Amino acid sequence: MLNLDFSFVNWTFIQGFILKGLWFSIILTAVATVGGIFFGTLLALMRLSGQKWLILPAAFYVNVMRSVPLVMVILWFFLLVPLLIGRPVGAEYSAFITFIAFEAAYFSEIMRAGIQSIPRGQVFAGQAMGMSYAQNMKLVILPQAFRNMIPVLLTQTIILFQDTSLVYAIGAYDLLKGFETAGKNYGRPIETYLMATVVYFIISYSLSSVVKRIHRKIAIIR
């Protein structure tokens, strides 16, 4: 019979093992979200530019990244880049770079859909006012696209937070690694993995509830 014991759970346990990993997971999520949206928007604009020399490389990058598991991208960068540059990159830097590069492909498709959702009349109105393509995109199209895509962008961010657990594969000290390390130190791996599951669920479910409220407010505004 399974004998679970959570008596070791106290502030020392949380402070010594969990908070460090949680902080890294939050920072990785935030940096990857900001970087992913920035580069994803650039990729989306390239694909919508109408110029083949911009469309083809952007489409190739997005399609390749979306066809490869994130854990493979993390491992490839962590293992192959040191061979090319002659020095280790480090697990944390590898995580930041690969997450930004990977998420840019997904945010690109979200932003492309958001831009295409704006009625053509808005584009023509900007052109009639004498705006250039860049001005029209910056002042008219992108602000509306970002507003429309907020719920989807936040949902992707929640998925990103869950995916941060994959940096465990290269030894980065994220939230899951914190629980795993605690399990080894206290000799209670089953209990710590169960707690990790509960913590990930609580955080993800809470954020999903917030996204639903935001989506309802945006729907009312529309």
Side-chain angles (χ1 to χ4, degrees):
M1 184 176 178
L2 187 61
N3 183 25
L4 299 178
D5 179 12
F6 294 94
S7 61
F8 62 92
V9 179
N10 51 37
W11 177 245
T12 302
F13 161 79
I14 296 172
Q15 187 179 38
F17 298 97
I18 309 307
L19 291 183
K20 177 184 175 181
L22 177 61
W23 178 245
F24 178 77
S25 293
I26 292 173
I27 294 297
L28 178 57
T29 300
V31 171
T33 298
V34 174
I37 291 176
F38 176 79
F39 290 108
T41 302
L42 293 181
L43 288 168
L45 293 176
M46 289 172 66
R47 298 192 70 178
L48 295 171
S49 65
Q51 304 293 325
K52 281 191 175 181
W53 64 278
L54 291 174
I55 295 173
L56 292 178
F60 176 79
Y61 179 88
V62 170
N63 290 330
V64 168
M65 280 295 186
R66 285 168 59 88
S67 301
V68 179
L70 175 56
V71 67
M72 295 305 300
V73 178
I74 295 172
L75 288 171
W76 287 345
F77 188 91
F78 181 71
L79 297 174
L80 295 181
V81 170
L83 296 178
L84 297 176
I85 65 176
R87 60 185 180 84
V89 179
E92 287 76 16
Y93 283 114
S94 293
F96 282 115
I97 294 171
T98 52
F99 265 76
I100 291 174
F102 188 83
E103 292 300 325
Y106 284 85
F107 282 118
S108 169
E109 291 299 276
I110 294 172
M111 290 309 305
R112 186 161 71 102
I115 293 171
Q116 290 178 324
S117 71
I118 305 302
R120 295 296 296 172
Q122 299 280 349
V123 180
F124 297 145
Q127 292 173 344
M129 294 175 64
M131 292 184 181
S132 65
Y133 173 82
Q135 289 174 325
N136 204 1
M137 191 63 66
K138 177 182 178 181
L139 301 175
V140 179
I141 307 302
L142 285 179
Q144 295 183 73
F146 273 113
R147 187 192 66 188
N148 293 342
M149 291 294 104
I150 284 176
V152 184
L153 292 172
L154 292 177
T155 299
Q156 181 62 31
T157 301
I158 295 172
I159 296 172
L160 197 165
F161 172 75
Q162 295 170 345
D163 286 345
T164 58
S165 61
L166 295 176
V167 300
Y168 174 92
I170 57 175
Y173 200 101
D174 70 314
L175 180 58
L176 180 60
K177 183 67 174 179
F179 278 107
E180 189 263 349
T181 304
K184 289 181 178 178
N185 277 267
Y186 287 97
R188 290 290 177 178
I190 295 176
E191 287 87 341
T192 53
Y193 278 123
L194 283 174
M195 284 189 289
T197 302
V198 172
V199 169
Y200 274 104
F201 173 79
I202 291 174
I203 293 174
S204 299
Y205 184 80
S206 300
L207 293 176
S208 296
S209 299
V210 173
V211 171
K212 289 179 181 178
R213 293 196 195 97
I214 293 174
H215 188 271
R216 284 197 294 267
K217 289 183 179 180
I218 291 176
I220 292 172
I221 293 173
R222 289 178 185 172

